[in-house]
């Protein structure tokens, strides 16, 4: 028979007890512990006590919150990505493109600009010489794209790579998903509205919190006041009863005295 | 069709950002509850909740698909709770104007539930909150995750970065302290 005062469970008794409490235990360990529990009063008592604690914990409710406590997809506020809508806008599609794509497009634009200006860089005994189309009799180029294509490959060894990059870029831009038709100003307005709404909601929550604290303080003050009044009432009652007793005693003494006086007469 | 968390994550990464909204709807209350029970302050718990999803959104491309989304989002939330505890940040209370009567304001505010109910509910939970506040952070977190979020011991161990036996020991010790404190407090709840 097991000693009721001590538990002689072999092994990690506390861990096994918790695992059994939460029903998160291996079947073999459960069987062994249940066999132990059948003859161990301290373990049974502790198990019951911890189960009561769990019941108390279950009463710890969190404040009710409405949908939206987690916010919404951050990009709606932070403008990380545009909301998907109908027909695409060229600039919006471009702004959605990956960074490497945007960098390649920027390089292409620079190359196109150089092509337009027909800038020629040479390094010779005279040093670095930069000449533009204005300084030579070269014909004015029609458009940036076409100009980029028409630059002689022999003069610009990187032209083939740039052309390939340009074509890849155009293909990527065509493949970009549809973006929002909302203009930049409309998006700003929506963003400001959202920010204002968030600020107002935050202020409302803080006011509620303050009101709750004030109500708690008022309630505590009221409770304290009532307790004080009760104590005063009791004290007055005690004083009253004591005074009454004293008065009665005094009256009795006076009566006794009066009787003696009349007897002596 | 109900998408799993991992499917919604994949769709979000693929560009369907409404899928991330669905993840938020699905997990915002559990994350808020976790933050509230860990931090103990309503306003800060809301902030932690929102920050959790903000960070999750930014880190979506790094999410390892073999992991569970719930464990991942819990880890983010717990890290933010830990950061909050270290900073002991306090939400600034709105200062009313000098001519504002606080009692009038308290009466005029329209909360989601009556102030009296809020206070009464707080009375009931105050004892448990006070007892939980006495626990070390690791024990309190382990109890919150096990008691209110139904995580397994192994999942808690993974989140807290400790052995399985340590989690069970933390739970046992935490519950033992709560048993003592709740038995001691007036109007015992356990």
């Amino acid at each position: 028979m097991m000693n009721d005062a001590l538990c002689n469970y072999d092994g990690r008794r506390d861990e096994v007890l918790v695992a059994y409490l939460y029903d998160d235990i291996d079947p073999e360990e459960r069987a062994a512990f249940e066999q132990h529990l059948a003859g161990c009063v301290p373990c049974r008592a502790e198990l019951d006590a911890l189960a009561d604690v769990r019941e108390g914990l279950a009463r710890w409710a969190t404040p009710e919150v409405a949908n939206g406590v987690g916010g919404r997809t951050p990009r709606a506020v932070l403008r990380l990505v545009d909301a998907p809508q109908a027909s695409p806008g060229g600039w919006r599609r471009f702004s959605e493109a990956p960074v490497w794509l945007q960098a390649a497009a920027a390089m292409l634009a620079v190359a196109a600009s150089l092509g337009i200006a027909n800038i020629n860089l040479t390094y010779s005994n005279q040093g670095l010489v930069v000449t533009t189309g204005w300084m030579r009799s070269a014909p004015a180029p029609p458009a940036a794209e076409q100009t980029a294509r028409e630059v002689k490959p022999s003069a610009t060894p990187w032209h083939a790579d740039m052309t390939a990059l340009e074509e890849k870029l155009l293909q990527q831009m065509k493949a970009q998903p549809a973006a929002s038709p909302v203009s930049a100003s409309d998006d700003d307005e929506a963003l400001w509205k959202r920010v204002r709404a968030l600020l107002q909601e935050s202020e409302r929550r803080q006011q509620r919190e303050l009101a709750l604290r004030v109500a708690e303080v008022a309630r505590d003050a009221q409770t304290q006041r009532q307790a004080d009044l009760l104590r005063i009432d009791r004290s007055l009652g005690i004083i009253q009863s004591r005074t009454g007793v004293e008065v009665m005693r005094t009256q009795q003494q006076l009566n006794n005295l009066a009787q003696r006086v009349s007897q002596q007469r | 069709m109900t998408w799993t968390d991992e499917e919604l994550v994949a769709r979000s990464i693929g560009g369907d950002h409404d899928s991330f909204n669905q993840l938020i709807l699905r997990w915002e209350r559990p994350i808020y509850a976790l933050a509230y029970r860990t931090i103990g302050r309503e306003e800060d718990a809301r902030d932690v909740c929102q920050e959790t999803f903000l960070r999750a959104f930014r880190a979506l491309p790094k999410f390892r698909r073999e992991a569970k989304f719930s464990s991942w989002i819990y880890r983010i939330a717990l890290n933010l709770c830990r950061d909050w505890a270290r900073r002991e940040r306090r939400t600034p209370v709105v200062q009313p104007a000098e001519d504002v009567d606080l009692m009038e304001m308290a009466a005029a505010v329209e909360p989601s539930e009556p102030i009296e109910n809020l206070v009464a509910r707080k009375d009931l939970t105050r004892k448990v909150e006070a007892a939980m506040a006495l626990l070390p952070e690791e024990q309190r977190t382990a109890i919150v995750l096990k008691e209110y979020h139904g995580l397994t011991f192994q999942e808690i161990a993974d989140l807290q970065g400790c052995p399985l036996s340590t989690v069970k020991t933390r739970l046992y010790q935490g519950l033992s302290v709560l048993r003592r404190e709740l038995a001691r407090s007036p109007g015992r709840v356990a």
Side-chain angles (χ1 to χ4, degrees), chain B residues 54-66:
Chain B
L54 203 63
R55 291 201 182 185
F57 180 78
R58 287 177 177 148
L60 265 182
K62 298 179 200 167
F63 175 68
R64 290 180 297 113
R65 304 197 187 185
E66 58 272 16

Side-chain angles (χ1 to χ4, degrees), chain A residues 12-19 21-22 24-25 29 45-46 49-50 52-75 78 80-82 84 198 201-203 205-216 218-220, chain B residues 17-18 20-21 24-25 28-29 32-33 36-37 42-43 46-47 49-50 53-54 57-58 91-94 96 102-103 105-106 109 111-113 115 118-119 121-123 125-126 128-129 132 143-144 146-148 152-153 165 168-169 171-172 175-176 178-179 182 189-190:
Chain A
R12 306 157 285 114
R13 178 255 181 194
D14 297 346
E15 294 173 27
V16 174
L17 188 141
V18 159
L21 177 70
Y22 280 102
D24 188 353
I25 188 171
E29 212 162 31
E46 187 165 18
L50 294 185
D52 288 342
V53 170
R54 291 192 64 198
E55 277 183 31
L57 287 175
R59 298 187 202 180
W60 187 20
T62 56
E64 284 295 321
V65 288
N67 283 348
V69 68
R72 281 299 170 259
T73 304
R75 62 187 175 86
L78 301 175
L80 292 178
V81 182
D82 291 325
L198 286 172
E201 192 187 334
S202 176
E203 281 185 18
R205 285 203 301 268
Q206 290 185 358
Q207 284 187 344
R208 274 191 65 228
E209 193 70 19
L210 179 62
L212 178 62
R213 298 283 175 255
V214 168
E216 283 182 0
R219 184 177 173 279
D220 288 345
Chain B
H17 299 286
D18 188 56
F20 193 78
N21 274 338
I24 295 177
L25 273 172
E28 60 183 354
R29 285 172 194 260
Y32 171 76
Y36 178 77
R37 290 193 172 104
E42 199 173 332
E43 193 65 30
R46 287 173 183 268
D47 292 343
C49 183
Q50 291 202 359
F53 289 104
L54 203 63
F57 180 78
R58 287 177 177 148
T91 305
V93 177
V94 172
L102 287 181
M103 294 305 295
M105 189 176 78
V109 163
S112 57
E113 54 184 305
I115 290 290
L118 284 172
V119 174
R121 176 169 61 76
K122 275 191 173 285
D123 275 348
T125 59
R126 193 177 297 165
V128 174
E129 282 180 1
M132 286 288 279
I143 289 176
V144 168
K146 188 66 181 164
E147 198 66 45
Y148 302 103
T152 63
F153 292 126
S165 58
K168 294 179 184 177
T169 303
L171 278 163
Y172 176 79
L175 289 173
S176 300
L178 291 177
R179 174 189 173 189
L182 294 175
V189 295

